[in-house]
Amino acid sequence: MLEPYIEQNSKAKVLVLCSSGLDSVYNLLKAKQEFSEIGVIFFDYSQKAVAQEYVHVKELCQALKLDFIKVDLPWYRNLESSLISKKTEISKYSSVKEADDSLNLPEWVPNRNGVFVNIGAAIAESRSYQFIIMGLNKEEAVRFPDNTKTFLDRSNALFELSTLKKPKIFSYSVDMLKNDIYYDLCKTAELLGIKNIKEYIWSCYDSYEKMCGNCESCLRLKRVIKEHRQENEWKDRFLR
């Protein structure tokens, strides 16, 4: 169980990978609840959403008074993914089911989480962070294998050989669905004194003035919002 392990190490230094999406914001808030010394990494890998993601993560870190680390990966712009390439449009869907039924993964970014956790491990080892936390979820793990508990387990096995200080990586949400993540996110934000947590979340694959509302990431968030009957609170955050 994760909880006793955290209780025994509550004074540890923790590094959180945050993109401003629902999962990573949730994990950042949970880390803030449990640990006193936290650093936050944001990755710029030339993603189309980088402008909005960066602003939202930076503002959340300022609100929580957390150390902020920006890592630039300019070479990613040469790799193929609709989240990066200007030649490929981001897929638009009418529903989450349509996305789940799709056999194509144009939004897959080659080895993204693999790269992220290894850079995180390097920074953690260099700056004496004992834990690395990232936002994963059971729902998207069906489509994206780097969202699974197996991914975390094998990353930890790699760190046993690739680092000397052997930081541990985990995710509070790896066994959770989006609906449960959102429910606990709202409770956690309230306990931390954050009244408008939606202002710090950017779950869109692009950087419009508002979230597009029909990419896969937007649709998953909108479904959760609808299930919680909070459409009115969020309606000004989406283009459609």
Side-chain angles (χ1 to χ4, degrees):
M1 293 292 291
L2 181 62
E3 287 75 10
Y5 193 56
I6 290 176
E7 289 175 4
Q8 294 169 14
N9 295 274
S10 59
K11 295 182 180 180
K13 290 180 64 177
V14 173
L15 192 61
V16 182
L17 313 186
C18 190
S19 67
S20 78
L22 180 66
D23 306 331
S24 64
V25 169
Y26 171 69
N27 277 268
L28 179 54
L29 296 190
K30 293 295 288 185
K32 178 65 175 175
Q33 269 194 317
E34 303 286 351
F35 299 96
S36 58
E37 194 165 354
I38 300 169
V40 179
I41 294 184
F42 173 78
F43 290 100
D44 178 348
Y45 57 98
S46 301
Q47 67 271 37
K48 293 174 181 176
V50 66
Q52 288 284 11
E53 289 180 352
Y54 175 76
V55 169
H56 284 76
V57 174
K58 190 74 179 291
E59 289 180 349
L60 180 57
C61 287
Q62 290 173 345
L64 295 174
K65 297 180 173 58
L66 301 177
D67 292 334
F68 178 78
I69 304 167
K70 182 173 179 285
V71 176
D72 296 318
L73 304 173
W75 50 271
Y76 248 112
R77 70 169 61 100
N78 298 314
L79 303 186
E80 286 300 319
S81 169
S82 68
L83 299 193
I84 301 171
S85 176
K86 295 180 180 179
K87 299 177 182 178
T88 308
E89 292 187 2
I90 293 170
S91 301
K92 306 296 183 182
Y93 300 99
S94 61
S95 67
V96 172
K97 184 179 185 306
E98 183 182 353
D100 285 339
D101 290 343
S102 174
L103 298 178
N104 296 320
L105 284 176
E107 282 68 63
W108 175 262
V109 180
N111 199 29
R112 179 180 61 181
N113 282 355
V115 171
F116 287 1
V117 298
N118 276 286
I119 291 175
I123 293 174
E125 183 168 35
S126 175
R127 302 189 184 184
S128 298
Y129 289 100
Q130 290 95 333
F131 295 114
I132 303 166
I133 302 175
M134 67 186 306
L136 307 179
N137 71 88
K138 188 175 182 180
E139 183 175 320
E140 288 175 293
V142 176
R143 280 168 59 76
F144 300 98
D146 60 355
N147 260 257
T148 60
K149 188 175 184 299
T150 299
F151 174 80
L152 292 179
D153 291 341
R154 293 186 181 180
S155 294
N156 278 316
L158 175 62
F159 297 163
E160 288 290 321
L161 300 176
S162 65
T163 69
L164 294 179
K165 295 183 180 178
K166 301 176 176 53
K168 302 294 183 184
I169 186 166
F170 67 87
S171 174
Y172 288 99
S173 55
V174 68
D175 290 322
M176 299 171 69
L177 299 175
K178 293 278 189 179
N179 193 44
D180 298 321
I181 292 171
Y182 183 75
Y183 176 76
D184 201 33
L185 169 74
C186 293
K187 290 199 306 180
T188 306
E190 185 176 352
L191 290 172
L192 292 173
I194 301 176
K195 297 181 179 179
N196 297 309
I197 188 59
K198 67 178 183 296
E199 300 299 327
Y200 299 104
I201 292 174
W202 186 266
S203 280
C204 185
Y205 284 151
D206 218 323
S207 281
Y208 303 104
E209 66 273 17
K210 299 180 181 181
M211 291 183 281
C212 75
N214 59 357
C215 69
E216 180 177 348
S217 186
C218 279
L219 287 171
R220 291 187 188 280
L221 177 58
K222 287 175 72 176
R223 182 178 67 178
V224 168
I225 292 166
K226 184 177 181 179
E227 289 173 350
H228 285 266
R229 299 179 181 178
Q230 294 185 357
E231 294 100 318
N232 286 337
E233 289 91 328
W234 283 82
K235 64 181 180 181
D236 292 334
R237 299 281 286 138
F238 295 97
L239 291 175
R240 59 183 67 85

